[in-house]
Each structure stands twice: as C-alpha cells, then as structure tokens.
Amino acid sequence: MNEQQRKEMDQVRQRDPENNLERIKEKSSDDFMKYFETTYQPPNMRDAQRRRKQDVDVHYDFHIPEEMQGVGEDRKYLIRTYGCQMNEHDTEVMAGIFEAMGYESTNVATEADVILLNTCAIRENAENKVFGEIGHLKSLKRENPDLILGVCGCMAQEEGVVNRILKKHPFMDMIFGTHNIHKVPELLKEAMFSKEMVVDVWSKEGDIIENLPRSRKGKIKAWVNVMYGCDKFCTYCIVPYTRGKERSRLPEDIIQEVRHLAAQGYKEVTLLGQNVNAYGKDLDIGYGLGDLMDDLHKIDIPRVRFTTSHPRDFDDRLIEVLAKGGNMLDHIHLPVQSGSSDVLKIMGRKYSREDYLELVRKIREAMPNATLTTDIIVGFPNETEAQFQETLSLVEEVGFEAAYTFIFSPRENTPAAKMRDKVPMDEKKERLQRLNALINKQSKETMELYEGEIVHVLVEGESKNNAEVLAGYTKRNKLVNFVGPDSAIGQIVPVKITKAKTWSLDGEMVETTTGVKE
Ligand code: 5AD
Ligand code: SF4
C-alpha cells in the first residue's frame, strides 16, 4: 500500500459525523436539485429498454482495491433481501465482497455499520415494504451518524424510485443497481467520503464478472447463476428493464462451479436465470440449457433444478435430457400467466393456450410423473370473466400441483401500466380467491396420493414452525415435515408419509428404501 492509499484508508475509516448528520435534516427543493448534480449515474429506463448487439466480455480479474482491504475489521454488515432467488444469490455475492473486506455479518440492525436493502420491483407491494423499511432506518442513522445505508437491487434501477429516495430520504448514503454489485468496494468508499448520496445505477448491463466471492447461506442447497437478464418484454413485467439484456455464462464456468459445489458436499443446485431456458442463445455456440443439463447430469450431485422457464423457449432437447432421470428432477415450474389466448397475446407472451397445452402434452409423454407448477396473473387490464374462466379450465386441464398467483400490478414504464382498465379491484380480488381455492383443492388432492407411501427427502433442518420435527423437500418439491434424528440433516433419507395437508406432508423416517414413490 503506498502513502496515498494509506491516507485514503485512514480517511475512509474516520468519517466526519457532522457531514453525515447534515443529510438527515429536512431538505428544500434547492437542496434536492443539488443532489441531482452530484449523482454519478441515475437510472434511465429508456436506455434500459434498448438492446445492443455487442458481445459481452467475461472478466476473471475482480479484486478488492488495496485501500479497501481490511476496512471492515471490527465492523459489521447487514443485507435485507426482498424478491426472488436471483436477489437472494446477489446478496450472497455482496456478502462475499463485504467479508473479503473484513466485515462480519450481523442480523441485528443496531450492531451494523452498513445496512443494505436488496430490493425487488416486481409488484407494488414489494416496493411499499422497502419504503416502510427505509423510514425505520432514519432513526438508526440519527443514533449512529456513521452508519452507512444503501438501496440496491431491482428498485434501484427505476427512475421513479431513485428520485423519490433523493427527494424524501436524503439520509440514505448510496444507491446502486443490479449491474454494478462488483463495484460495492468503490461505492462504499465514496459513500464514506462523500457529503452527498452516491448514486450509481447502470441502465445498460455490464460484462460478466466471474470471480466474485460468494458467502453462501447454506451448506446443502446452492444457487448457481447460468444467465442474467431477460429479452422477452412481457407487457406487464419490469424485469427486462431492471436486469438488462440476456447474457449467458460460459458452460465451462458453470460446470466448474457445480463440480466445486459437489466436491464441497452440496446436495442440490438450482440453476438461476430470469428466463433460464433461453440459456446459450446469446453465445451462438449451438449449446443450450438441454446441453448444459446433460453435462450436469454426469456430475455426482444428487439434485439439479432450474428456474424460471419460459414456455416459448422450452425445447425438445431439454425435455429429452430431463427425461433421463438421475439428478434431473421430475418437477418443472412453467409460468403460464393466463389460460386465455387473447390475454396471452396482449401480455406479449408469444404463445397461445393451445401452444402451452401442446408443450405440457410433450412433457407428460416424456416424463409421465412430472409435477407441474406455475405462475398466474389475474386481473390483467380488461380481463373478462370469460377469459378468467379459461384460466380456471387450463389449471384443471394441466393439473397444476401448486401455483404462485398474483393480482396484476402496474409497473413503471411497462406497456400494460398505460392500458386503461375497467375491471374493479374487488372483482380482481374475488377472482384471485376463486383461483386459489381451485389450486388449493388440486394441491391437496395430489398430496393425498402420498399417504402411506415412502418418499426420499433432502433434509434441510428443523421445521420453521416446530423445532421438534425436521423438514425437507422431495424430488418433486413436496415439503415434508417428519420426526427423525438431527444426524439426518443434509442427507437424503426415506420418509413414510402419514398425513397429507394442503401444502405439505407429515411423516416419519424409516429404514427401508424399497418401494420409494419419489
Ligand atoms: N403484476 C403482477 N404479477 C406480476 N408478475 C410479474 N410482473 C407482474 C405484475 N406487473 C408475476 C408473474 C411472474 C412472477 C415472478 O411474478 O406471474 O411469473
Ligand atoms: Fe424482483 Fe424480478 Fe428483480 Fe427478482 S428479478 S428481485 S422478482 S423484480
């Protein structure tokens, strides 16, 4: 470390509390304009919408800048995560970066020196929760002006959100987006130095950085990114704006990561991508998710899952590989969104009800035992009762065993948010209830088929609701709570099902492995 860097590090470690307190005070609109001037890079959703042809470079040279090495000694970080598995995994990466700077993790807000909110923008209620949390953070900052507060993740990619934080919550120290989490050390340094809020949100995705550190939450199941971004632009969805264009990691990097996880004793990996079965399309090497799964099929790890698929990109090669069994699982999450071809068209899903049913037929033919689950949106602008009925009939026809169901939520900048909508909210809520009642009934019916059967459960630990019993999932993603020894945690064990509930199974561990239903 040279003299200059040593000085910088000293300054980083001794922040000026006066400056920090200054920003807690209420601001006039002149002050607000000043913040705009000191912003590095605010988000621009129009830019985020454009797709470039340029290739994406892959870098293997991430490092912590010298002046930030050791900056976290005797300091703690806390990251609150909202949203999907991709966000959970981004948090694991940021946790790895903080730990590489010497920080320790904490769950106690009053102990933390840095608090980040890793946010989700998918629906309005996800955003409301975050704004509630930002409000709580203000009092912590008052008590400890040295505390660094940041907002990152998908909400940070939205212009409206960043403007609202600049205007209403000027005590926040940093805002950065989903494309520059590898810049955390630099942004943290700026935030420690700066009098103003540090805003750095890249509206255009950057390159792929391969060698980021990761601090994974568990030792049994691991998430593995296979691709980033989404090019589908469904008319209701904000993800293509917040996560950028589709970029795939190179097969060898993914395979190496999974091998490494298997060697460390992990029992399950879930491959992640916003549109995971578009994997490889941008690489132009004639290698897709089916090929990747086939390569992972040969690795000695008991379970490989992937999420989330788009029906349009679910090809025959993938079905053929999944049908091989082994560590390929009989569970496919295949969001349909609506059962009406007319609604699907306005949603920009690029398939019809008939296309979806044909895909399900092909999957069932190749994998007769496959469990299918889905995502559904009710109350898309101007959805008629007849169109909603088509969704109900599709749910029955496919026999979904579980579904995540949502009321349409207008999202900033998306085409559907601009559509005039005549359907009253009460009607939408009532449709959601009817849909949920049907899904619950179907889930319960499939659960009942397991009573008296033996299934293999990957045991994750104590049940969330009852420390007396263990909990884990079957290959088909059924949650099982059962009585068994702690030594079973992290193992795949046979469990006899004694009782079926709507969303889970109860059972007891057994010795025998014959007659396992899976
Ligand atoms: N409103 C409601 N639900 C949405 N989803 C995505 N965007 C919206 C929106 N604007 C749902 C879809 C998607 C899941 C992750 O969230 O069903 O598959
Ligand atoms: Fe939420 Fe979608 Fe972003 Fe995941 S990708 S955090 S679901 S907005």
Side-chain angles (χ1 to χ4, degrees):
M1 195 184 296
N2 63 30
E3 195 49 34
Q4 174 64 22
Q5 283 166 334
R6 197 163 292 123
K7 266 196 210 141
E8 277 189 7
M9 177 149 167
D10 281 349
Q11 276 175 292
V12 167
R13 291 189 63 90
Q14 294 155 20
R15 306 180 61 213
D16 176 359
E18 282 306 304
N19 284 348
N20 297 327
L21 274 174
E22 186 59 23
R23 281 196 293 116
I24 305 180
K25 294 179 194 155
E26 294 303 319
K27 295 286 164 189
S28 69
S29 52
D30 284 354
D31 291 324
F32 174 52
M33 288 319 292
K34 201 180 79 199
Y35 285 114
F36 271 125
E37 284 160 24
T38 54
T39 293
Y40 290 103
Q41 201 167 329
N44 178 324
M45 295 182 86
R46 272 186 188 285
D47 275 354
Q49 192 171 8
R50 293 197 192 106
R51 291 296 182 255
R52 299 172 300 175
K53 274 260 172 328
Q54 272 136 278
D55 287 338
V56 172
D57 286 329
V58 184
H59 300 269
Y60 299 86
D61 58 355
F62 173 83
H63 64 278
I64 306 283
E66 214 169 333
E67 69 278 12
M68 293 306 278
Q69 288 174 15
V71 86
E73 262 161 45
D74 303 323
R75 289 185 163 158
K76 294 187 177 168
Y77 74 93
L78 186 161
I79 309 177
R80 294 232 159 92
T81 315
Y82 304 79
C84 64
Q85 288 113 324
M86 187 69 83
N87 247 24
E88 294 277 353
H89 189 47
D90 283 351
T91 290
E92 293 182 335
V93 172
M94 290 190 283
I97 296 176
F98 274 105
E99 287 167 25
M101 290 188 287
Y103 282 87
E104 223 181 274
S105 101
T106 177
N107 289 325
V108 185
T110 47
E111 276 184 4
D113 299 279
V114 183
I115 300 180
L116 290 186
L117 306 181
N118 189 9
T119 61
C120 170
I122 199 94
R123 282 171 294 276
E124 199 181 355
N125 54 5
E127 296 200 354
N128 291 343
K129 273 193 228 155
V130 170
F131 277 111
E133 187 60 30
I134 291 178
H136 293 145
L137 293 178
K138 187 171 181 178
S139 55
L140 280 178
K141 180 88 173 177
R142 258 209 199 97
E143 280 160 32
N144 174 14
D146 267 348
L147 174 64
I148 299 216
L149 299 175
V151 172
C152 57
C154 286
M155 277 170 72
Q157 298 288 145
E158 289 179 273
E159 282 168 75
V161 167
V162 172
N163 291 346
R164 181 167 160 191
I165 296 174
L166 285 162
K167 202 166 185 171
K168 300 239 171 86
H169 309 283
F171 56 92
M172 297 302 287
D173 298 278
M174 53 203 251
I175 306 179
F176 58 95
T178 58
H179 302 312
N180 51 345
I181 58 182
H182 60 286
K183 305 283 292 183
V184 160
E186 283 90 339
L187 297 173
L188 188 65
K189 181 175 135 187
E190 290 302 335
M192 285 171 156
F193 270 128
S194 175
K195 248 178 123 172
E196 318 299 355
M197 195 188 304
V198 178
V199 180
D200 198 12
V201 182
W202 300 356
S203 298
K204 287 240 160 284
E205 60 290 326
D207 291 331
I208 291 179
I209 320 283
E210 270 303 333
N211 65 327
L212 292 169
R214 290 177 169 80
S215 174
R216 296 192 197 266
K217 236 164 107 187
K219 300 256 168 286
I220 303 166
K221 304 208 291 189
W223 289 302
V224 173
N225 283 126
V226 300
M227 65 179 301
Y228 306 94
C230 178
D231 286 347
K232 281 283 184 286
F233 287 102
C234 302
T235 55
Y236 52 80
C237 189
I238 199 163
V239 172
Y241 307 82
T242 63
R243 292 279 175 172
K245 77 166 182 176
E246 291 174 357
R247 292 101 71 209
S248 299
R249 289 178 69 197
L250 297 173
E252 55 270 30
D253 290 329
I254 299 166
I255 292 167
Q256 195 192 28
E257 186 174 343
V258 175
R259 279 217 186 96
H260 192 65
L261 290 165
Q264 287 176 287
Y266 280 89
K267 296 289 190 300
E268 179 175 310
V269 293
T270 302
L271 310 184
L272 294 180
Q274 258 82 32
N275 182 16
V276 71
N277 47 350
Y279 173 75
K281 291 196 164 171
D282 56 307
L283 293 176
D284 273 341
I285 53 171
Y287 185 96
L289 186 67
D291 303 297
L292 178 65
M293 290 295 274
D294 206 19
D295 280 334
L296 300 180
H297 182 234
K298 295 166 202 146
I299 295 180
D300 188 15
I301 189 153
R303 294 180 174 189
V304 182
R305 299 184 190 274
F306 59 94
T307 196
T308 286
S309 316
H310 191 293
R312 168 103 180 187
D313 290 326
F314 213 102
D315 58 22
D316 293 349
R317 169 79 176 128
L318 180 58
I319 297 175
E320 172 203 322
V321 173
L322 293 179
K324 291 185 181 183
N327 60 6
M328 303 284 106
L329 307 187
D330 266 351
H331 168 225
I332 298 174
H333 186 67
L334 196 59
V336 65
Q337 312 300 359
S338 166
S340 152
S341 292
D342 290 337
V343 174
L344 288 169
K345 190 154 197 199
I346 313 171
M347 284 179 164
R349 293 290 288 174
K350 302 185 181 80
Y351 57 84
S352 64
R353 175 190 176 97
E354 291 68 35
D355 296 335
Y356 189 90
L357 287 172
E358 172 57 17
L359 176 59
V360 169
R361 191 198 58 74
K362 277 202 256 176
I363 292 172
R364 293 233 184 271
E365 191 178 74
M367 306 162 67
N369 293 325
T371 288
L372 288 173
T373 58
T374 199
D375 292 350
I376 296 170
I377 297 176
V378 302
F380 188 78
N382 305 314
E383 178 194 60
T384 63
E385 172 62 25
Q387 287 167 335
F388 172 65
Q389 289 290 339
E390 287 188 79
T391 296
L392 294 179
S393 73
L394 182 107
V395 167
E396 278 182 308
E397 200 169 331
V398 175
F400 290 119
E401 297 186 19
Y404 295 104
T405 56
F406 312 99
I407 292 179
F408 167 74
S409 169
R411 308 312 301 129
E412 182 183 345
N413 245 38
T414 59
K418 295 176 197 120
M419 295 176 191
R420 287 248 303 278
D421 184 8
K422 290 183 293 217
V423 189
M425 186 45 96
D426 282 349
E427 176 107 30
K428 297 187 185 209
K429 287 187 179 157
E430 199 261 338
R431 283 182 196 167
L432 185 71
Q433 276 178 9
R434 277 190 281 158
L435 175 62
N436 286 344
L438 175 62
I439 306 252
N440 289 354
K441 176 172 149 282
Q442 289 187 186
S443 176
K444 180 86 202 281
E445 280 167 6
T446 48
M447 291 296 189
E448 278 163 1
L449 301 176
Y450 285 90
E451 277 188 0
E453 301 283 350
I454 296 172
V455 290
H456 273 148
V457 178
L458 171 55
V459 190
E460 294 183 18
E462 288 169 0
S463 155
K464 276 193 196 123
N465 305 324
N466 179 359
E468 303 286 294
V469 293
L470 299 176
Y473 285 85
T474 68
K475 273 189 160 185
R476 295 208 208 130
N477 218 31
K478 304 289 181 208
L479 173 62
V480 181
N481 293 304
F482 69 100
V483 183
D486 280 357
S487 58
I489 296 173
Q491 307 299 321
I492 296 176
V493 299
V495 174
K496 183 159 187 174
I497 301 306
T498 50
K499 190 168 187 292
K501 297 182 171 168
T502 304
W503 293 111
S504 65
L505 300 166
D506 286 348
E508 53 203 30
M509 198 168 139
V510 288
E511 293 291 318
T512 174
T513 51
T514 46
V516 172
K517 186 177 162 78
E518 287 298 359

